[in-house]
Amino acid sequence: MSAVAQHRTEASMVLDIKDAPEKAQRIFKQLVEVFDEQGINPTPLNYYIWYQYYKGNHPKFRQEMDAALNDPFGYNDRLGRRLYDEYFSDDEPTNEFDRAFKRLINLVIQKMNVWSDKLESHTETLSQCTDSLNSENVDAERLRELTQSVLSTASSMKASSEEFQQDMLQSNEEISHLRQQLIEAKAETMTDELTEIGNRKAFNHSVRDAVEAHSDQPESLILILSDIDHFKRFNDTFGHLVGDSVLRYFANMMKKTRGENESLCRFGGEEFAILLTHSDLDAGMERAETIRETLQQARLKRKDSSKNLGEITASFGVAAFAGEEQEGIEDWIHRADEALYQAKNSGRNKVVAAEPFQPPTDG
């Protein structure tokens, strides 16, 4: 195995997101979105530059990046290469993940330099042939020699180009693999392990994104909070494993009927949240009522016996967002929670609409 191939193999073996420090993992998760949003070429070198930018360990480099991002031409591959050469080519990483990443970048740059040298050599050879062909003293033998030289150079250029493309493809596959790891890792951190729907963190992200995206029509955002009635008593009677099965059933039931405009999350314990976009309060009430009726009609049995678990019901609170100019997200959630509390306090197994937002009065 050649030294270059060995370095490539070593880079492949250790460039794993699980080896990255927590801060590095958070940064890379940001980069997945930033590159998609800004259309940045997802090369290893670009990932390294932006990774260092978000780390913020080089103030002068960060200032130069900030200036470039404020420029109409923005960031490009050539700028990334110059910044790497200036700030990071001699930089010594402080952890194993960064060292593996640096080895990958150096391997890419090494190949780029080799390709550049070969291209320069080929160009010089072709230039010399062109000068000779322009000479008045070119006999048949010399013409054959020049023709052979041009063909040989062209063949060498093609082989060098194919080798370079293959090397770049393999290097980019490293980053693609890392990117996929990050997407999967992000999905894991956003998923509730028991019910396999979004968790509270996913809910927070979904709400913030929805509020930002629908700032011109905030009333089209509807929040449904639901809570399984008497769940503690149910748990105490049948055991936590059966209780977990009920939670999974409730989540799956909502998943199967979920619309394209819905985000479904486990809000906490036996409480669930559904965020509707491009909707209205009446549609939210109807959706909650459909879920309530479907759950009430379900007849679940224990797996280890034919014993019926009895009627399972849930209560619901539904609230339309008033808009950030009037209320904060926490106020919106609080109104939905108040409606849920009212549904439970007035007999359970009900759907209650939240009171419209009322701005606080002075004094």
mmCIF file of all heavy atoms in Angstrom, residues 206-224 274-282 284 318-336 354-358:
data_model
loop_
_atom_site.group_PDB
_atom_site.id
_atom_site.type_symbol
_atom_site.label_atom_id
_atom_site.label_comp_id
_atom_site.label_asym_id
_atom_site.label_seq_id
_atom_site.Cartn_x
_atom_site.Cartn_y
_atom_site.Cartn_z
ATOM 1 N N SER A 206 -39.677 22.912 15.773
ATOM 2 C CA SER A 206 -40.794 23.023 14.830
ATOM 3 C C SER A 206 -41.584 24.305 15.060
ATOM 4 O O SER A 206 -41.961 24.998 14.106
ATOM 5 C CB SER A 206 -41.721 21.815 14.954
ATOM 6 O OG SER A 206 -41.060 20.627 14.602
ATOM 7 N N VAL A 207 -41.830 24.621 16.329
ATOM 8 C CA VAL A 207 -42.602 25.817 16.651
ATOM 9 C C VAL A 207 -41.852 27.075 16.226
ATOM 10 O O VAL A 207 -42.427 27.975 15.598
ATOM 11 C CB VAL A 207 -42.937 25.860 18.155
ATOM 12 C CG1 VAL A 207 -43.483 27.224 18.545
ATOM 13 C CG2 VAL A 207 -43.952 24.785 18.501
ATOM 14 N N ARG A 208 -40.559 27.146 16.546
ATOM 15 C CA ARG A 208 -39.779 28.329 16.176
ATOM 16 C C ARG A 208 -39.741 28.509 14.658
ATOM 17 O O ARG A 208 -39.906 29.614 14.141
ATOM 18 C CB ARG A 208 -38.358 28.225 16.732
ATOM 19 C CG ARG A 208 -38.253 28.498 18.218
ATOM 20 C CD ARG A 208 -36.834 28.817 18.611
ATOM 21 N NE ARG A 208 -35.937 27.712 18.308
ATOM 22 C CZ ARG A 208 -35.626 26.739 19.162
ATOM 23 N NH1 ARG A 208 -36.165 26.743 20.379
ATOM 24 N NH2 ARG A 208 -34.799 25.777 18.825
ATOM 25 N N ASP A 209 -39.517 27.404 13.952
ATOM 26 C CA ASP A 209 -39.462 27.480 12.482
ATOM 27 C C ASP A 209 -40.813 27.913 11.904
ATOM 28 O O ASP A 209 -40.870 28.722 10.973
ATOM 29 C CB ASP A 209 -39.061 26.123 11.897
ATOM 30 C CG ASP A 209 -37.610 25.769 12.186
ATOM 31 O OD1 ASP A 209 -36.852 26.681 12.596
ATOM 32 O OD2 ASP A 209 -37.241 24.598 12.025
ATOM 33 N N ALA A 210 -41.890 27.359 12.452
ATOM 34 C CA ALA A 210 -43.221 27.673 11.935
ATOM 35 C C ALA A 210 -43.582 29.137 12.187
ATOM 36 O O ALA A 210 -44.145 29.808 11.314
ATOM 37 C CB ALA A 210 -44.264 26.751 12.568
ATOM 38 N N VAL A 211 -43.270 29.624 13.362
ATOM 39 C CA VAL A 211 -43.576 31.024 13.694
ATOM 40 C C VAL A 211 -42.819 31.967 12.766
ATOM 41 O O VAL A 211 -43.363 32.964 12.279
ATOM 42 C CB VAL A 211 -43.221 31.311 15.174
ATOM 43 C CG1 VAL A 211 -43.212 32.812 15.448
ATOM 44 C CG2 VAL A 211 -44.211 30.606 16.088
ATOM 45 N N GLU A 212 -41.558 31.639 12.494
ATOM 46 C CA GLU A 212 -40.759 32.472 11.593
ATOM 47 C C GLU A 212 -41.294 32.413 10.164
ATOM 48 O O GLU A 212 -41.363 33.429 9.474
ATOM 49 C CB GLU A 212 -39.297 32.011 11.627
ATOM 50 C CG GLU A 212 -38.379 32.847 10.760
ATOM 51 C CD GLU A 212 -36.927 32.397 10.864
ATOM 52 O OE1 GLU A 212 -36.590 31.686 11.833
ATOM 53 O OE2 GLU A 212 -36.130 32.759 9.986
ATOM 54 N N ALA A 213 -41.677 31.223 9.725
ATOM 55 C CA ALA A 213 -42.123 31.048 8.338
ATOM 56 C C ALA A 213 -43.516 31.618 8.088
ATOM 57 O O ALA A 213 -43.864 31.923 6.951
ATOM 58 C CB ALA A 213 -42.101 29.569 7.969
ATOM 59 N N HIS A 214 -44.323 31.761 9.138
ATOM 60 C CA HIS A 214 -45.707 32.224 8.965
ATOM 61 C C HIS A 214 -45.949 33.539 9.690
ATOM 62 O O HIS A 214 -47.039 33.783 10.202
ATOM 63 C CB HIS A 214 -46.688 31.149 9.472
ATOM 64 C CG HIS A 214 -46.633 29.867 8.715
ATOM 65 N ND1 HIS A 214 -45.650 28.924 8.929
ATOM 66 C CD2 HIS A 214 -47.420 29.379 7.717
ATOM 67 C CE1 HIS A 214 -45.852 27.901 8.113
ATOM 68 N NE2 HIS A 214 -46.899 28.145 7.370
ATOM 69 N N SER A 215 -44.930 34.389 9.700
ATOM 70 C CA SER A 215 -45.064 35.668 10.409
ATOM 71 C C SER A 215 -46.143 36.550 9.800
ATOM 72 O O SER A 215 -46.725 37.396 10.482
ATOM 73 C CB SER A 215 -43.721 36.411 10.403
ATOM 74 O OG SER A 215 -43.281 36.623 9.063
ATOM 75 N N ASP A 216 -46.435 36.353 8.506
ATOM 76 C CA ASP A 216 -47.464 37.163 7.850
ATOM 77 C C ASP A 216 -48.874 36.620 8.097
ATOM 78 O O ASP A 216 -49.857 37.350 7.925
ATOM 79 C CB ASP A 216 -47.197 37.248 6.346
ATOM 80 C CG ASP A 216 -47.121 35.876 5.689
ATOM 81 O OD1 ASP A 216 -46.833 34.898 6.413
ATOM 82 O OD2 ASP A 216 -47.341 35.786 4.471
ATOM 83 N N GLN A 217 -48.989 35.344 8.511
ATOM 84 C CA GLN A 217 -50.290 34.744 8.814
ATOM 85 C C GLN A 217 -50.199 33.906 10.083
ATOM 86 O O GLN A 217 -50.354 32.681 10.058
ATOM 87 C CB GLN A 217 -50.776 33.870 7.657
ATOM 88 C CG GLN A 217 -51.228 34.654 6.428
ATOM 89 C CD GLN A 217 -51.806 33.731 5.369
ATOM 90 O OE1 GLN A 217 -51.190 32.732 4.988
ATOM 91 N NE2 GLN A 217 -53.017 34.045 4.909
ATOM 92 N N PRO A 218 -49.924 34.516 11.216
ATOM 93 C CA PRO A 218 -49.729 33.742 12.455
ATOM 94 C C PRO A 218 -50.964 32.956 12.865
ATOM 95 O O PRO A 218 -50.850 31.887 13.476
ATOM 96 C CB PRO A 218 -49.391 34.828 13.488
ATOM 97 C CG PRO A 218 -49.957 36.094 12.926
ATOM 98 C CD PRO A 218 -49.824 35.966 11.446
ATOM 99 N N GLU A 219 -52.151 33.481 12.520
ATOM 100 C CA GLU A 219 -53.386 32.797 12.919
ATOM 101 C C GLU A 219 -53.569 31.452 12.222
ATOM 102 O O GLU A 219 -54.421 30.655 12.610
ATOM 103 C CB GLU A 219 -54.600 33.687 12.640
ATOM 104 C CG GLU A 219 -54.921 33.919 11.170
ATOM 105 C CD GLU A 219 -54.022 34.949 10.491
ATOM 106 O OE1 GLU A 219 -53.184 35.564 11.202
ATOM 107 O OE2 GLU A 219 -54.160 35.150 9.273
ATOM 108 N N SER A 220 -52.713 31.178 11.187
ATOM 109 C CA SER A 220 -52.798 29.891 10.490
ATOM 110 C C SER A 220 -52.030 28.798 11.226
ATOM 111 O O SER A 220 -52.009 27.648 10.792
ATOM 112 C CB SER A 220 -52.271 30.014 9.060
ATOM 113 O OG SER A 220 -50.867 30.235 9.058
ATOM 114 N N LEU A 221 -51.399 29.157 12.339
ATOM 115 C CA LEU A 221 -50.689 28.174 13.164
ATOM 116 C C LEU A 221 -51.589 27.755 14.326
ATOM 117 O O LEU A 221 -52.068 28.596 15.099
ATOM 118 C CB LEU A 221 -49.394 28.768 13.716
ATOM 119 C CG LEU A 221 -48.355 29.212 12.687
ATOM 120 C CD1 LEU A 221 -47.146 29.824 13.381
ATOM 121 C CD2 LEU A 221 -47.929 28.038 11.816
ATOM 122 N N ILE A 222 -51.826 26.455 14.423
ATOM 123 C CA ILE A 222 -52.716 25.911 15.449
ATOM 124 C C ILE A 222 -51.944 24.897 16.289
ATOM 125 O O ILE A 222 -51.272 24.016 15.743
ATOM 126 C CB ILE A 222 -53.943 25.216 14.830
ATOM 127 C CG1 ILE A 222 -54.663 26.155 13.864
ATOM 128 C CG2 ILE A 222 -54.876 24.713 15.926
ATOM 129 C CD1 ILE A 222 -55.207 27.423 14.496
ATOM 130 N N LEU A 223 -52.062 25.035 17.598
ATOM 131 C CA LEU A 223 -51.404 24.101 18.513
ATOM 132 C C LEU A 223 -52.461 23.283 19.245
ATOM 133 O O LEU A 223 -53.396 23.835 19.832
ATOM 134 C CB LEU A 223 -50.541 24.862 19.523
ATOM 135 C CG LEU A 223 -49.853 24.016 20.590
ATOM 136 C CD1 LEU A 223 -48.891 23.001 19.967
ATOM 137 C CD2 LEU A 223 -49.114 24.910 21.583
ATOM 138 N N ILE A 224 -52.292 21.953 19.191
ATOM 139 C CA ILE A 224 -53.166 21.038 19.928
ATOM 140 C C ILE A 224 -52.323 20.334 20.992
ATOM 141 O O ILE A 224 -51.330 19.686 20.668
ATOM 142 C CB ILE A 224 -53.787 19.969 19.000
ATOM 143 C CG1 ILE A 224 -54.575 20.620 17.867
ATOM 144 C CG2 ILE A 224 -54.687 19.023 19.806
ATOM 145 C CD1 ILE A 224 -55.057 19.620 16.818
ATOM 146 N N ILE A 274 -49.561 18.559 18.785
ATOM 147 C CA ILE A 274 -49.672 18.577 17.326
ATOM 148 C C ILE A 274 -49.645 20.032 16.870
ATOM 149 O O ILE A 274 -50.436 20.854 17.362
ATOM 150 C CB ILE A 274 -50.973 17.917 16.842
ATOM 151 C CG1 ILE A 274 -51.043 16.457 17.286
ATOM 152 C CG2 ILE A 274 -51.089 18.003 15.324
ATOM 153 C CD1 ILE A 274 -52.341 15.756 16.911
ATOM 154 N N LEU A 275 -48.718 20.344 15.987
ATOM 155 C CA LEU A 275 -48.625 21.688 15.428
ATOM 156 C C LEU A 275 -49.151 21.656 14.001
ATOM 157 O O LEU A 275 -48.646 20.908 13.163
ATOM 158 C CB LEU A 275 -47.168 22.164 15.443
ATOM 159 C CG LEU A 275 -46.892 23.512 14.782
ATOM 160 C CD1 LEU A 275 -47.605 24.633 15.540
ATOM 161 C CD2 LEU A 275 -45.394 23.786 14.719
ATOM 162 N N LEU A 276 -50.181 22.457 13.731
ATOM 163 C CA LEU A 276 -50.768 22.548 12.397
ATOM 164 C C LEU A 276 -50.343 23.860 11.744
ATOM 165 O O LEU A 276 -50.377 24.914 12.390
ATOM 166 C CB LEU A 276 -52.292 22.498 12.461
ATOM 167 C CG LEU A 276 -52.947 21.292 13.139
ATOM 168 C CD1 LEU A 276 -54.461 21.460 13.143
ATOM 169 C CD2 LEU A 276 -52.571 20.021 12.428
ATOM 170 N N THR A 277 -49.953 23.804 10.488
ATOM 171 C CA THR A 277 -49.671 25.008 9.721
ATOM 172 C C THR A 277 -50.706 25.139 8.606
ATOM 173 O O THR A 277 -51.365 24.160 8.252
ATOM 174 C CB THR A 277 -48.265 24.957 9.102
ATOM 175 O OG1 THR A 277 -48.171 23.814 8.226
ATOM 176 C CG2 THR A 277 -47.195 24.825 10.183
ATOM 177 N N HIS A 278 -50.853 26.343 8.068
ATOM 178 C CA HIS A 278 -51.838 26.599 7.004
ATOM 179 C C HIS A 278 -53.214 26.068 7.418
ATOM 180 O O HIS A 278 -53.887 25.362 6.655
ATOM 181 C CB HIS A 278 -51.400 25.929 5.692
ATOM 182 C CG HIS A 278 -50.039 26.349 5.230
ATOM 183 N ND1 HIS A 278 -49.758 27.606 4.753
ATOM 184 C CD2 HIS A 278 -48.874 25.670 5.191
ATOM 185 C CE1 HIS A 278 -48.481 27.682 4.429
ATOM 186 N NE2 HIS A 278 -47.924 26.531 4.688
ATOM 187 N N SER A 279 -53.608 26.391 8.633
ATOM 188 C CA SER A 279 -54.854 25.850 9.172
ATOM 189 C C SER A 279 -55.646 26.973 9.842
ATOM 190 O O SER A 279 -55.355 28.155 9.658
ATOM 191 C CB SER A 279 -54.536 24.711 10.150
ATOM 192 O OG SER A 279 -55.703 24.039 10.544
ATOM 193 N N ASP A 280 -56.647 26.596 10.633
ATOM 194 C CA ASP A 280 -57.400 27.575 11.422
ATOM 195 C C ASP A 280 -57.951 26.854 12.649
ATOM 196 O O ASP A 280 -57.839 25.633 12.784
ATOM 197 C CB ASP A 280 -58.517 28.241 10.608
ATOM 198 C CG ASP A 280 -59.487 27.243 9.989
ATOM 199 O OD1 ASP A 280 -59.875 26.270 10.681
ATOM 200 O OD2 ASP A 280 -59.843 27.403 8.804
ATOM 201 N N LEU A 281 -58.550 27.618 13.537
ATOM 202 C CA LEU A 281 -59.006 27.048 14.801
ATOM 203 C C LEU A 281 -60.072 25.978 14.595
ATOM 204 O O LEU A 281 -60.065 24.943 15.273
ATOM 205 C CB LEU A 281 -59.539 28.161 15.707
ATOM 206 C CG LEU A 281 -59.865 27.748 17.143
ATOM 207 C CD1 LEU A 281 -58.631 27.218 17.857
ATOM 208 C CD2 LEU A 281 -60.454 28.939 17.917
ATOM 209 N N ASP A 282 -60.998 26.200 13.661
ATOM 210 C CA ASP A 282 -62.049 25.204 13.419
ATOM 211 C C ASP A 282 -61.449 23.877 12.949
ATOM 212 O O ASP A 282 -61.879 22.799 13.394
ATOM 213 C CB ASP A 282 -63.037 25.722 12.370
ATOM 214 C CG ASP A 282 -63.923 26.833 12.907
ATOM 215 O OD1 ASP A 282 -64.017 26.953 14.142
ATOM 216 O OD2 ASP A 282 -64.491 27.586 12.095
ATOM 217 N N GLY A 284 -58.443 22.826 13.556
ATOM 218 C CA GLY A 284 -57.736 22.250 14.694
ATOM 219 C C GLY A 284 -58.682 21.544 15.638
ATOM 220 O O GLY A 284 -58.392 20.449 16.143
ATOM 221 N N VAL A 318 -56.892 23.421 22.335
ATOM 222 C CA VAL A 318 -56.530 23.894 20.991
ATOM 223 C C VAL A 318 -56.416 25.418 21.009
ATOM 224 O O VAL A 318 -57.321 26.106 21.499
ATOM 225 C CB VAL A 318 -57.590 23.463 19.950
ATOM 226 C CG1 VAL A 318 -57.126 23.824 18.542
ATOM 227 C CG2 VAL A 318 -57.877 21.962 20.057
ATOM 228 N N ALA A 319 -55.322 25.925 20.457
ATOM 229 C CA ALA A 319 -55.114 27.383 20.454
ATOM 230 C C ALA A 319 -54.518 27.835 19.128
ATOM 231 O O ALA A 319 -53.606 27.190 18.590
ATOM 232 C CB ALA A 319 -54.194 27.786 21.601
ATOM 233 N N ALA A 320 -55.037 28.957 18.603
ATOM 234 C CA ALA A 320 -54.466 29.599 17.416
ATOM 235 C C ALA A 320 -53.463 30.649 17.886
ATOM 236 O O ALA A 320 -53.673 31.316 18.907
ATOM 237 C CB ALA A 320 -55.565 30.247 16.580
ATOM 238 N N PHE A 321 -52.379 30.795 17.136
ATOM 239 C CA PHE A 321 -51.336 31.751 17.500
ATOM 240 C C PHE A 321 -51.793 33.166 17.160
ATOM 241 O O PHE A 321 -52.316 33.423 16.066
ATOM 242 C CB PHE A 321 -50.055 31.406 16.757
ATOM 243 C CG PHE A 321 -48.853 32.204 17.192
ATOM 244 C CD1 PHE A 321 -48.600 32.428 18.538
ATOM 245 C CD2 PHE A 321 -47.971 32.721 16.249
ATOM 246 C CE1 PHE A 321 -47.487 33.149 18.947
ATOM 247 C CE2 PHE A 321 -46.849 33.440 16.640
ATOM 248 C CZ PHE A 321 -46.606 33.655 17.990
ATOM 249 N N ALA A 322 -51.562 34.089 18.097
ATOM 250 C CA ALA A 322 -51.979 35.472 17.859
ATOM 251 C C ALA A 322 -50.921 36.279 17.117
ATOM 252 O O ALA A 322 -51.219 37.360 16.611
ATOM 253 C CB ALA A 322 -52.291 36.147 19.196
ATOM 254 N N GLY A 323 -49.702 35.777 17.043
ATOM 255 C CA GLY A 323 -48.632 36.519 16.370
ATOM 256 C C GLY A 323 -47.652 37.074 17.371
ATOM 257 O O GLY A 323 -48.015 37.465 18.486
ATOM 258 N N GLU A 324 -46.380 37.115 16.984
ATOM 259 C CA GLU A 324 -45.325 37.545 17.908
ATOM 260 C C GLU A 324 -45.485 38.994 18.353
ATOM 261 O O GLU A 324 -44.956 39.377 19.392
ATOM 262 C CB GLU A 324 -43.958 37.343 17.263
ATOM 263 C CG GLU A 324 -43.528 35.888 17.203
ATOM 264 C CD GLU A 324 -42.095 35.735 16.785
ATOM 265 O OE1 GLU A 324 -41.804 35.951 15.592
ATOM 266 O OE2 GLU A 324 -41.257 35.394 17.645
ATOM 267 N N GLU A 325 -46.163 39.795 17.570
ATOM 268 C CA GLU A 325 -46.366 41.185 17.974
ATOM 269 C C GLU A 325 -47.292 41.286 19.172
ATOM 270 O O GLU A 325 -47.303 42.283 19.886
ATOM 271 C CB GLU A 325 -46.926 42.001 16.809
ATOM 272 C CG GLU A 325 -45.946 42.170 15.649
ATOM 273 C CD GLU A 325 -46.510 43.055 14.557
ATOM 274 O OE1 GLU A 325 -47.665 43.514 14.700
ATOM 275 O OE2 GLU A 325 -45.792 43.287 13.563
ATOM 276 N N GLN A 326 -48.094 40.229 19.382
ATOM 277 C CA GLN A 326 -49.035 40.247 20.502
ATOM 278 C C GLN A 326 -48.617 39.316 21.637
ATOM 279 O O GLN A 326 -48.687 39.687 22.805
ATOM 280 C CB GLN A 326 -50.431 39.845 20.006
ATOM 281 C CG GLN A 326 -51.027 40.811 18.986
ATOM 282 C CD GLN A 326 -52.486 40.488 18.726
ATOM 283 O OE1 GLN A 326 -53.299 40.447 19.649
ATOM 284 N NE2 GLN A 326 -52.814 40.258 17.459
ATOM 285 N N GLU A 327 -48.208 38.086 21.285
ATOM 286 C CA GLU A 327 -47.861 37.135 22.336
ATOM 287 C C GLU A 327 -46.607 36.359 21.957
ATOM 288 O O GLU A 327 -46.288 36.182 20.780
ATOM 289 C CB GLU A 327 -49.007 36.159 22.602
ATOM 290 C CG GLU A 327 -49.280 35.194 21.468
ATOM 291 C CD GLU A 327 -50.334 34.144 21.801
ATOM 292 O OE1 GLU A 327 -50.532 33.832 23.000
ATOM 293 O OE2 GLU A 327 -50.955 33.617 20.861
ATOM 294 N N GLY A 328 -45.916 35.882 22.972
ATOM 295 C CA GLY A 328 -44.755 35.049 22.736
ATOM 296 C C GLY A 328 -45.163 33.596 22.547
ATOM 297 O O GLY A 328 -46.317 33.210 22.813
ATOM 298 N N ILE A 329 -44.217 32.786 22.120
ATOM 299 C CA ILE A 329 -44.502 31.365 21.923
ATOM 300 C C ILE A 329 -44.926 30.708 23.233
ATOM 301 O O ILE A 329 -45.862 29.896 23.264
ATOM 302 C CB ILE A 329 -43.266 30.666 21.320
ATOM 303 C CG1 ILE A 329 -43.030 31.161 19.888
ATOM 304 C CG2 ILE A 329 -43.449 29.152 21.334
ATOM 305 C CD1 ILE A 329 -41.766 30.620 19.243
ATOM 306 N N GLU A 330 -44.247 31.068 24.322
ATOM 307 C CA GLU A 330 -44.600 30.476 25.620
ATOM 308 C C GLU A 330 -46.024 30.834 26.018
ATOM 309 O O GLU A 330 -46.743 30.014 26.614
ATOM 310 C CB GLU A 330 -43.609 30.949 26.690
ATOM 311 C CG GLU A 330 -42.208 30.375 26.540
ATOM 312 C CD GLU A 330 -42.198 28.859 26.629
ATOM 313 O OE1 GLU A 330 -42.980 28.315 27.456
ATOM 314 O OE2 GLU A 330 -41.429 28.221 25.891
ATOM 315 N N ASP A 331 -46.454 32.056 25.687
ATOM 316 C CA ASP A 331 -47.848 32.448 25.996
ATOM 317 C C ASP A 331 -48.833 31.603 25.200
ATOM 318 O O ASP A 331 -49.901 31.218 25.701
ATOM 319 C CB ASP A 331 -48.057 33.928 25.667
ATOM 320 C CG ASP A 331 -47.198 34.837 26.527
ATOM 321 O OD1 ASP A 331 -47.034 34.530 27.718
ATOM 322 O OD2 ASP A 331 -46.683 35.843 25.999
ATOM 323 N N TRP A 332 -48.495 31.354 23.952
ATOM 324 C CA TRP A 332 -49.343 30.532 23.082
ATOM 325 C C TRP A 332 -49.475 29.118 23.656
ATOM 326 O O TRP A 332 -50.582 28.572 23.764
ATOM 327 C CB TRP A 332 -48.728 30.514 21.684
ATOM 328 C CG TRP A 332 -49.445 29.687 20.662
ATOM 329 C CD1 TRP A 332 -50.765 29.388 20.614
ATOM 330 C CD2 TRP A 332 -48.845 29.080 19.520
ATOM 331 N NE1 TRP A 332 -51.040 28.617 19.504
ATOM 332 C CE2 TRP A 332 -49.876 28.415 18.813
ATOM 333 C CE3 TRP A 332 -47.551 29.036 19.013
ATOM 334 C CZ2 TRP A 332 -49.635 27.703 17.640
ATOM 335 C CZ3 TRP A 332 -47.307 28.343 17.844
ATOM 336 C CH2 TRP A 332 -48.341 27.691 17.154
ATOM 337 N N ILE A 333 -48.343 28.525 24.032
ATOM 338 C CA ILE A 333 -48.361 27.187 24.620
ATOM 339 C C ILE A 333 -49.176 27.199 25.914
ATOM 340 O O ILE A 333 -49.951 26.264 26.191
ATOM 341 C CB ILE A 333 -46.922 26.698 24.887
ATOM 342 C CG1 ILE A 333 -46.168 26.546 23.565
ATOM 343 C CG2 ILE A 333 -46.930 25.373 25.641
ATOM 344 C CD1 ILE A 333 -44.686 26.245 23.733
ATOM 345 N N HIS A 334 -49.007 28.253 26.691
ATOM 346 C CA HIS A 334 -49.731 28.355 27.959
ATOM 347 C C HIS A 334 -51.245 28.394 27.720
ATOM 348 O O HIS A 334 -52.012 27.761 28.457
ATOM 349 C CB HIS A 334 -49.287 29.609 28.711
ATOM 350 C CG HIS A 334 -50.006 29.820 30.014
ATOM 351 N ND1 HIS A 334 -49.787 29.015 31.116
ATOM 352 C CD2 HIS A 334 -50.958 30.736 30.384
ATOM 353 C CE1 HIS A 334 -50.556 29.417 32.117
ATOM 354 N NE2 HIS A 334 -51.273 30.451 31.693
ATOM 355 N N ARG A 335 -51.703 29.124 26.694
ATOM 356 C CA ARG A 335 -53.139 29.178 26.410
ATOM 357 C C ARG A 335 -53.674 27.805 26.008
ATOM 358 O O ARG A 335 -54.782 27.409 26.412
ATOM 359 C CB ARG A 335 -53.414 30.205 25.310
ATOM 360 C CG ARG A 335 -53.303 31.642 25.775
ATOM 361 C CD ARG A 335 -53.932 32.627 24.803
ATOM 362 N NE ARG A 335 -53.317 32.594 23.493
ATOM 363 C CZ ARG A 335 -53.938 32.203 22.384
ATOM 364 N NH1 ARG A 335 -55.196 31.765 22.436
ATOM 365 N NH2 ARG A 335 -53.314 32.230 21.212
ATOM 366 N N ALA A 336 -52.886 27.067 25.183
ATOM 367 C CA ALA A 336 -53.308 25.712 24.805
ATOM 368 C C ALA A 336 -53.347 24.807 26.038
ATOM 369 O O ALA A 336 -54.252 23.974 26.194
ATOM 370 C CB ALA A 336 -52.355 25.143 23.755
ATOM 371 N N ALA A 354 -58.974 27.303 23.229
ATOM 372 C CA ALA A 354 -58.405 28.297 24.126
ATOM 373 C C ALA A 354 -59.094 29.636 23.933
ATOM 374 O O ALA A 354 -59.585 29.963 22.849
ATOM 375 C CB ALA A 354 -56.908 28.449 23.876
ATOM 376 N N GLU A 355 -59.122 30.407 24.983
ATOM 377 C CA GLU A 355 -59.630 31.781 24.894
ATOM 378 C C GLU A 355 -58.701 32.585 23.988
ATOM 379 O O GLU A 355 -57.482 32.373 23.972
ATOM 380 C CB GLU A 355 -59.678 32.421 26.275
ATOM 381 C CG GLU A 355 -60.678 31.784 27.223
ATOM 382 C CD GLU A 355 -62.112 32.025 26.785
ATOM 383 O OE1 GLU A 355 -62.357 33.071 26.139
ATOM 384 O OE2 GLU A 355 -62.974 31.180 27.070
ATOM 385 N N PRO A 356 -59.258 33.516 23.205
ATOM 386 C CA PRO A 356 -58.394 34.376 22.391
ATOM 387 C C PRO A 356 -57.390 35.105 23.250
ATOM 388 O O PRO A 356 -57.650 35.393 24.417
ATOM 389 C CB PRO A 356 -59.384 35.343 21.734
ATOM 390 C CG PRO A 356 -60.703 34.660 21.795
ATOM 391 C CD PRO A 356 -60.691 33.835 23.045
ATOM 392 N N PHE A 357 -56.250 35.397 22.679
ATOM 393 C CA PHE A 357 -55.199 36.085 23.433
ATOM 394 C C PHE A 357 -55.684 37.460 23.879
ATOM 395 O O PHE A 357 -56.237 38.238 23.101
ATOM 396 C CB PHE A 357 -53.945 36.225 22.580
ATOM 397 C CG PHE A 357 -52.873 37.061 23.251
ATOM 398 C CD1 PHE A 357 -52.120 36.532 24.281
ATOM 399 C CD2 PHE A 357 -52.665 38.373 22.857
ATOM 400 C CE1 PHE A 357 -51.138 37.295 24.904
ATOM 401 C CE2 PHE A 357 -51.680 39.140 23.459
ATOM 402 C CZ PHE A 357 -50.917 38.600 24.488
ATOM 403 N N GLN A 358 -55.457 37.765 25.152
ATOM 404 C CA GLN A 358 -55.788 39.069 25.699
ATOM 405 C C GLN A 358 -54.516 39.730 26.177
ATOM 406 O O GLN A 358 -53.865 39.233 27.095
ATOM 407 C CB GLN A 358 -56.765 38.919 26.869
ATOM 408 C CG GLN A 358 -58.114 38.326 26.508
ATOM 409 C CD GLN A 358 -58.911 39.267 25.628
ATOM 410 O OE1 GLN A 358 -58.738 40.480 25.659
ATOM 411 N NE2 GLN A 358 -59.817 38.704 24.819
#
